Amino acid sequence: MTVKKTSVLVLDCAEPHELALFYARLLGADAQAGHEPDLVEVVGGAGVHLAIRKDHGYAPPSWPRPEDSQQAHLRILVDIADLDEAEREAVSLGAVPVDPDAGAGAREVRVFSDPAGHSFSIAATGWSV
């Protein structure tokens, strides 16, 4: 028998409420208190479920330095016609573009760093990870 499972990506940071608000605004979701004191959840329609956890000794990731690996990142999918608008929205909320090919013409995947330094991408629906 297989046990029913679900999953949630948990991002560590120094200020979970602020980072949860960033992702809630970016994803059109809601930020709400989690089941643990240092956890804030971001939930919404279309399968949005993240958690942001306070790490009292948090140090931001050092990627995209060439000697460091990315480890993991969040991929946000949008319709290809909405890529430019999604990028403008992310930047207006505090995301920092880190795509080395930025400005090199049409791109179906755009890479950013969130306000706490985690990498994420906005990609056209249908593009693989």
Side-chain angles (χ1 to χ4, degrees), residues 2 6 21 39 45 72 81 102 109 119 121:
T2 301
T6 189
L21 287 175
L39 196 73
V109 178
S119 59
S121 63

Side-chain angles (χ1 to χ4, degrees), residues 3 6 12 15 17 20 23 32-33 47 55 58 61 64 66 70-71 74 79 85 93 116 120 124-128:
V3 175
T6 189
D12 293 340
E15 301 294 336
H17 296 284
Y23 278 110
Q32 59 192 37
D55 179 344
Y58 178 73
Q70 186 176 13
Q71 301 295 318
L74 177 64
D79 186 276
E85 180 62 26
L93 293 169
F120 73 95
T125 303
W127 279 76
S128 62

